[in-house]
Amino acid sequence: DIQMTQSPSSLSASVGDRVTITCRASQGISNSLAWFQQTPGKAPKSLIYAASSLQSGVPSKFSGSGSGTDFTLTISSLQPEDFATYYCQQYDSYPYTFGQGTKLENK
Amino acid sequence: QVQLVESGGGVVQPGRSLRLSCAASGFTFSLYGMHWVRQAPGKGLEWVSVISYDGSNKYYGDSVKGRFTISRDNSINTLYLETNSLRLEDTAVYFCAKEDGYGNFSNWGQGTLVTVSS
């Protein structure tokens, strides 16, 4: 199975900051990488798929990049609603696997 | 608009079974692959299973293989997950998700909680 490792596991930032979350795959997955946002008690929300394609309706302050084994999610100009947990997921091969999550907290 | 509504969760003893359902509306259900993803209390997301648009292909995560069965009834726009031989570690919120192709999990349900407890 492909292992997905996110860093950092938690991140403290302030409104207006720009943050970057990293996701590394244990083997190459081309661009088969998605990013999700989840707030407590809610379902995950799709942000990015195919490593860099923005999901419909998601603001352009979210951006993704990478290919192969190393990927990043960047959020520019943090707003209060952006403080949440973020997950990467590979869908290159079954079983699909998620990263352990990055909790973004308000400093 | 797309709506996915899970049901069937509850409290069940170890070793017993439960059938989860996901009622879909707002899109042509028979054209899309569907997934189950779960989340144990306070933990991260775990992919469980997928079924192709016509039900001909199914895949499972290692932790549920041989115990869980995914199925669908396109005539009533419903996805199922039959969970057998339940274990304490199967306790989780189970979400269904629609895949728009190429791994794009575009829509998720609100989840249904399964609690395995003696």
Side-chain angles (χ1 to χ4, degrees):
Chain A
D1 299 359
I2 298 173
Q3 306 302 315
M4 305 301 293
T5 303
Q6 287 181 233
S7 60
S9 295
S10 63
L11 178 58
S12 184
S14 300
V15 171
D17 285 354
R18 174 187 174 99
V19 298
T20 296
I21 298 169
T22 296
C23 180
R24 175 164 289 175
S26 60
Q27 64 189 70
I29 59 170
S30 185
N31 70 334
S32 301
L33 192 284
W35 289 97
F36 299 92
Q37 176 195 64
Q38 189 181 34
T39 53
K42 299 291 188 181
K45 174 186 175 184
S46 173
L47 299 175
I48 301 281
Y49 62 97
S52 60
S53 295
L54 198 64
Q55 184 65 255
S56 175
V58 173
S60 58
K61 65 179 177 180
F62 292 94
S63 62
S65 65
S67 183
T69 60
D70 295 312
F71 302 86
T72 59
L73 172 70
T74 299
I75 312 169
S76 62
S77 188
L78 280 173
Q79 296 302 304
E81 61 269 21
D82 299 330
F83 294 99
T85 301
Y86 293 85
Y87 295 92
C88 64
Q89 179 215 36
Q90 69 80 20
Y91 53 89
D92 181 74
S93 62
Y94 294 116
Y96 289 178
T97 44
F98 288 89
Q100 80 279 14
T102 295
K103 187 174 184 178
L104 177 56
E105 298 175 304
N106 197 341
K107 190 183 292 183
Chain B
Q1 74 280 19
V2 172
Q3 195 166 11
L4 300 170
V5 179
E6 300 93 336
S7 60
V11 180
V12 61
Q13 292 180 324
R16 303 299 289 266
S17 301
L18 211 56
R19 189 176 82 159
L20 308 182
S21 300
C22 170
S25 60
F27 65 102
T28 306
F29 181 69
S30 60
L31 295 181
Y32 294 90
M34 297 292 296
H35 296 256
W36 288 100
V37 174
R38 70 183 181 181
Q39 186 170 37
K43 302 298 184 182
L45 301 172
E46 180 187 11
W47 180 82
V48 173
S49 183
V50 62
I51 187 168
S52 59
Y53 69 100
D54 62 354
S56 61
N57 291 295
K58 306 173 185 181
Y59 298 91
Y60 299 92
D62 294 340
S63 62
V64 307
K65 201 175 299 182
R67 298 188 300 122
F68 289 12
T69 301
I70 192 171
S71 63
R72 64 191 297 160
D73 187 337
N74 286 344
S75 68
I76 57 170
N77 297 338
T78 303
L79 172 72
Y80 301 103
L81 186 69
E82 189 74 40
T83 65
N84 298 318
S85 303
L86 283 162
R87 305 168 179 168
L88 297 177
E89 55 267 32
D90 294 319
T91 294
V93 174
Y94 287 73
F95 299 99
C96 63
K98 166 180 172 278
E99 182 183 344
D100 280 358
Y102 304 107
N104 182 2
F105 284 37
S106 57
N107 301 91
W108 296 63
Q110 85 291 345
T112 187
L113 176 61
V114 173
T115 302
V116 183
S117 173
S118 54

